[in-house]
Amino acid sequence: MGKIEGKGLAFEYADGFTALRGLDFCIEDGEFVCVVGHSGCGKTTLLRLISGLSLPTSGELTLDGAPIEGPGLDRAVVFQQYSLFAWKTAAKNVEYGVRQAHPDWSKAQVRERVRQALADVGMLQAADHYPYQLSGGMKQRVAIARALVLDSDTLLLDEPFGALDQHRRSQLQQMLLELWGRGERRKTVVFVTHDIDEAILLADRIFFMRPGEITHTIEVDLERDRDAASLAKVPRFGELRKELIELFALDVDQEDAHEA
């Protein structure tokens, strides 16, 4: 049994649009899975179902063998939009998550957990800054800290670096890999992205989606630890990249043929 499993998973919106149909997949405990595909193929819908923010129309979706019936502290979510409280400092934004997860903790326990989470993402020096005082990359670091502070087994990320420039994106990709690889037990990560290079850098496996379906599962058989600069020189990286580019291009060709 995997950590997250979907069997015949389907989701239909109230207007009748079918976003997902008959998905079968299994994500193992501690695995890093990236989900890629063109806009509108169902990537975000799939992540919302795993997070419990939406519920399946039909089929099964389980976490540790139990049906996902809503949000829970066993899953932490990071969105592309930072969703920080504008009136709270970086530390207070992170503290909010701790208090939700551990209402019985003392002030000292909360303070130490917040301090550690901010240190993990390199934001301890900006603990007293408000969101308007932070760059986009800094805001996303705080959002990641707010998710990590819950110490959930599963981390769900929906294009968290999509709005950042390449330099900051590379920095946060490396930070995420380091945090994921730390400790004796890795978190299970589901990461939605449009970026092929990002997916290859981060993932153990890549789910390629076409509208409503996972059509290909690609094993990223590259050694850990990885960094973008070194990986670009590895022949296997080029092969995986070519495979994904061809899948994206095939979708475009098919769409053009259909429109013609």
Side-chain angles (χ1 to χ4, degrees):
M1 179 183 295
K3 179 75 173 178
I4 305 168
E5 289 194 51
K7 295 180 181 178
L9 184 65
F11 182 80
E12 183 178 299
Y13 284 97
D15 63 3
F17 175 71
T18 299
L20 300 174
R21 53 180 178 274
L23 268 62
D24 293 309
F25 64 89
C26 179
I27 298 172
E28 300 296 338
D29 187 28
E31 189 175 20
F32 201 126
V33 170
C34 283
V35 185
V36 304
H38 287 291
S39 296
C41 68
K43 302 185 301 295
T44 293
T45 301
L46 175 59
L47 205 73
R48 286 183 61 84
L49 292 179
I50 296 173
S51 71
L53 293 172
S54 298
L55 298 179
T57 305
S58 61
E60 298 178 10
L61 180 61
T62 60
L63 177 71
D64 292 325
I68 294 176
E69 298 178 335
L73 294 174
D74 50 2
R75 285 149 288 151
V77 187
V78 180
F79 298 103
Q80 182 174 350
Q81 300 302 321
Y82 321 113
S83 301
L84 299 179
F85 298 120
W87 59 92
K88 291 180 180 288
T89 63
K92 289 296 184 182
N93 266 281
V94 177
E95 181 182 315
Y96 178 82
V98 183
R99 293 201 178 280
Q100 294 298 305
H102 303 286
D104 57 332
W105 277 16
S106 68
K107 289 183 178 179
Q109 286 176 301
V110 171
R111 188 163 53 247
E112 175 55 26
R113 178 62 71 87
V114 169
R115 189 202 68 78
Q116 185 59 56
L118 288 171
D120 283 344
V121 300
M123 285 295 293
L124 192 56
Q125 79 285 355
D128 295 327
H129 288 40
Y130 288 88
Y132 78 89
Q133 298 173 300
L134 306 176
S135 68
M138 295 170 79
K139 290 176 186 175
Q140 197 58 290
R141 286 175 185 264
V142 175
I144 291 171
R146 189 171 60 182
L148 291 175
V149 79
L150 301 177
D151 200 25
S152 306
D153 288 339
T154 301
L155 184 59
L156 309 173
L157 303 103
D158 189 3
E159 299 197 58
F161 311 144
L164 306 178
D165 62 57
Q166 188 55 52
H167 175 66
R168 288 181 173 82
R169 187 177 190 131
S170 295
Q171 285 183 323
L172 293 190
Q173 287 167 350
Q174 211 58 45
M175 179 201 74
L176 181 61
L177 281 177
E178 290 170 4
L179 292 172
W180 174 70
R182 183 185 298 176
E184 297 179 0
R185 187 168 181 271
R186 287 174 168 170
K187 296 182 184 298
T188 304
V189 179
V190 184
F191 187 107
V192 169
T193 180
H194 277 93
D195 190 304
I196 290 172
D197 291 356
E198 180 170 71
I200 298 171
L201 171 67
L202 298 176
D204 294 314
R205 286 191 299 156
I206 298 171
F207 291 169
F208 183 85
M209 292 189 69
R210 292 197 171 106
E213 302 176 294
I214 297 172
T215 59
H216 295 75
T217 299
I218 299 168
E219 300 282 345
V220 184
D221 48 354
L222 297 167
E223 290 186 6
R224 304 279 189 183
D225 295 322
R226 302 173 190 164
D227 67 84
S230 301
L231 205 59
K233 303 172 186 176
V234 177
R236 180 59 178 151
F237 171 83
E239 294 170 1
L240 290 166
R241 194 171 189 273
K242 181 174 182 290
E243 182 177 356
L244 283 163
I245 288 173
E246 288 175 349
L247 287 172
F248 273 97
L250 180 62
D251 279 0
V252 173
D253 290 344
Q254 289 176 341
E255 184 176 329
D256 290 345
H258 179 73
E259 289 178 354

